[in-house]
Amino acid sequence: MDKEENLNNGEDVPDIENDGSLNGNDEEIGRYWAQYSERNMTYEEPLLVKRINTTSQIAIVGSNLCPIESLDYEIFDNEMFNQDWRSRKKVQIFQYVVLKWVFALLIGVGTGLVGLFNNISVENIAGFKLLLTTSLMSKQRFLEAFLAYAGLNMVLGAAAAALCAFIAPSAAGSGIPEVKAYLNGIDAHSILAPNTLFVKIVGSILGVSAGFVVGKEGPMVHTGACIASFLGQGGSRKYGLTFSWLRHFKNDRDRRDMITCGAAAGVAAAFRSPVGGVLFALEEAASWWRSALLWRTFFTTAVVAIVLRAGIQFCSTGKCGLFGEGGLILYDVGSAQVSYSAGDILAVIVLGTIAGILGSIYNFLVDKVVRTYSIINEKGPFFKISLAVAISLLTSCCYYFLPWIATCIPCPSDSTVTCPSIDESGEYKSFQCPPGYYNDLASLFLNTNDDAIRNLFSPKINKEFHMSSLFIFFAAVYFLGILTYGIAVPSGLFIPVILAGAAYGRVLSRLFEPITQLDRGLFSLLGAASFLGGTMRMTVSICVILLELTNDLYLLPLVMLVLLISKSVADIFNKGVYDQILKIKGLPYLEAHAEPYMRNIATRDVVSGPLMAFSGIEKVGNILHVLNTTGHNGFPVIDEPPFVDAPELCGLVLRSYLLVLLKAKNFTSERVYADQSILENISVLDFGKAGSGKGVKLEDLDIQDEDLDMYVDLHPITNTSPYTVVETMSLAKAAIIFRQHGLRHMCVVPKSQGRPPIVGILTRHDFMPEHVLGLYPDIKHHKWH
């Protein structure tokens, strides 16, 4: 077993060999270990005997393996922080509150501008490519048209994959699972770094322009979160962009709130759906919510909506190239008042049921494809780029050659439409057809994804798509969407699912023509809603997003019904697509509810050992030994005689705080409490959460040999009110408390007196089903009542 895997949870379990002994067990560590083993002598079997947390501390971020840690959402209650709060002036508190709102404004403006830039860039790059292809087709130069189309697609796809492979591997994929994991309390390296932000923006533009069956919605959520994180950590020291006035936000709680605002802003920017963005953050992204955050998130998305509105007005004057008034997806279903009959309701129920089954199959296949691609992507950058180019070529071949199957349709007699279309986003592409005719399949395939959806949702012409054309388009998009997700390109799942669902709805509208009077554009919208419900398993946010997209309130009851049915049916078979991706990546996501079998396990039955604890006033050498020989991030602090009558739990101290304290070298030669003057050369801000990889490291310490026998008082930095549970509490109850309070460590204390004051520490990984079932493999199969 290698060291990385054996560190178990990367949190609080030491590096233990299979025999339960510490690595590097030299004489000095042996003496130290003997000192602490006395504290654990009274533990009963099988407590802490060879029990090792078997869940991995490594997860896949993007397509690379990297170590993960938990975030500290708990408010630390210690001497230094309390003193800092008492000394704060009203002006500082006012500044802190105002800054929160200023941040919300900046996140909204930043995300809105990025959303606008994305759309303008995609419309222009893809528009140029499609105009070039169409002009070559009109001159009967079919081979050249294909070479130009496929060549540009492969170049754009290779560029997007190269950015992900060489600059920011964590920018690949949707980004929503990673943001969801972060808001659940999981910190992974470079998940929200500035280079990830850059690659997410540029890579998403290139990927969508390359004609991949991907959307820019998932990447926009990740982009919003990255912008919020960049502001929240006071900029980036690595890139020389730091601001001292942001130092009060160097903690995980404030950063979490801002990233929630960023995720909501991302959805608002992608769909022009401010209320949908807030609901998306509430329903799907955030694990913790409160009313103050609702206000700030709503304000952020409102700012995004204003920025987009201003941008579209500016572009409507023709200053943004091919980005016209309809550049940002806003589909006007434009139906008259809709009345429903029993036949319509029956058709919607069938539509939702089939979509639920198709959605669960979609998720099942995405799961298999992502697992397969991860094996290819692990082999290195060349393989990542090659895979992206191969999928790009396959997509180009499907998009270019499938329209040849379709038969030419005469242009409608309506003189208000231009047929065949001459612009890049027309509904009537002539393709290989003679004058006066158009190819309905080319109108879907040789268009940007947004325009294809607009055409499918369009109620204007009832008969413009052949049944065979719709079926071919549905099958192609359904399977290409599955095959495309998992390549090393920033790729969202919303648009592929909406595309497939819109085509599916249009197909079913033909089948139900005898019993329903609903317009085909409306059926197309209901098909898209049902597919989103079947794959994403969201209901409220998708309902509002679709209503904001289509501007059609009359459809609300039908959209609600179809979402509920498709989600309910799909839930029978598997989980939502983002939950599946979280599992594939190995991110230890804590669900809102505990597994049923956890009710039958006590907390003491899963704590891993041996337990490492410090005295309230500890030897510097002992602290260094523990930090060197374990991977823990939290340690119990126990006050012992002569300072107290009997051993008692003083609290919990973090590794990062210990490193700051040791670096300051506030040592005493005697075992005494620290003098107030000794602590004056450490600021509370020194304990603030640094950006990724910028905190004090063990190798930064300058500890001399004579310092090892000195003492340091841990009381000022010890959290004196850690969350504690009694050892007999059920694991299910502990898991709910752990998640609701956003904890990183939970202390397990003994039920009876006369024993050591702490039994062990529970961390996120101790609640993972994989760990619990590893300890008790048969418990899941028992019939509990």
Side-chain angles (χ1 to χ4, degrees), residues 59-65 169 172-173 178 365-381 383-385 387-388 391 482-489 580-581 583-586:
I60 301 170
V61 178
S63 55
N64 284 12
L65 287 172
E178 282 87 348
L365 294 173
V366 163
D367 184 284
K368 299 296 174 213
V369 166
V370 171
R371 286 179 193 276
T372 309
Y373 285 178
S374 65
I375 298 166
I376 299 168
N377 288 335
E378 276 172 18
K379 294 181 178 176
F383 288 90
K384 290 182 184 180
I385 297 166
L387 180 62
I391 298 294
I482 292 164
L483 288 172
T484 307
Y485 196 83
I487 60 173
V489 168
Q580 286 191 337
I581 292 163
K583 198 165 184 63
I584 294 168
K585 289 176 177 290

Side-chain angles (χ1 to χ4, degrees), residues 435-467:
Y437 288 81
Y438 74 97
N439 185 321
D440 60 344
L441 205 47
S443 302
L444 294 174
F445 276 128
L446 292 179
N447 244 328
T448 60
N449 292 338
D450 293 355
D451 287 323
I453 295 171
R454 213 176 265 119
N455 291 347
L456 284 167
F457 279 3
S458 162
K460 285 183 286 189
I461 311 134
N462 242 10
K463 301 276 185 188
E464 88 262 45
F465 295 114
H466 269 306
M467 183 77 165

Side-chain angles (χ1 to χ4, degrees), residues 389-456:
V389 169
I391 298 294
S392 177
L393 181 60
L394 174 67
T395 308
S396 302
C397 290
C398 288
Y399 273 36
Y400 186 82
F401 293 116
L402 284 176
W404 290 85
I405 303 169
T407 51
C408 294
I409 303 172
C411 285
S413 53
D414 187 358
S415 58
T416 58
V417 295
T418 308
C419 180
S421 305
I422 50 171
D423 64 351
E424 85 287 351
S425 62
E427 292 176 29
Y428 304 100
K429 297 266 184 184
S430 62
F431 202 62
Q432 87 292 13
C433 296
Y437 288 81
Y438 74 97
N439 185 321
D440 60 344
L441 205 47
S443 302
L444 294 174
F445 276 128
L446 292 179
N447 244 328
T448 60
N449 292 338
D450 293 355
D451 287 323
I453 295 171
R454 213 176 265 119
N455 291 347
L456 284 167

Side-chain angles (χ1 to χ4, degrees), residues 313-328:
Q313 280 186 325
F314 173 76
C315 287
S316 62
T317 57
K319 293 175 183 172
C320 302
L322 299 172
F323 180 84
E325 276 193 57
L328 266 169

Side-chain angles (χ1 to χ4, degrees), residues 523-535:
F523 242 102
S524 189
L525 172 69
L526 291 172
S530 64
F531 246 61
L532 286 166
T535 53

Side-chain angles (χ1 to χ4, degrees), residues 333 338 340 344-345 348-349 351-352 457 518 521-534 538-567:
V333 175
V338 182
Y340 319 124
D344 298 332
I345 302 297
V348 166
I349 290 170
L351 180 90
F457 279 3
L518 287 179
L522 301 184
F523 242 102
S524 189
L525 172 69
L526 291 172
S530 64
F531 246 61
L532 286 166
M538 292 182 278
T539 49
V540 182
S541 51
I542 285 176
C543 185
V544 173
I545 286 168
L546 287 172
L547 289 177
E548 288 184 287
L549 273 179
T550 55
N551 200 18
D552 195 342
L553 270 174
Y554 293 110
L555 269 181
L556 180 62
L558 291 183
V559 172
M560 288 168 74
L561 179 65
V562 84
L563 275 167
L564 289 168
I565 292 168
S566 62
K567 176 181 161 46

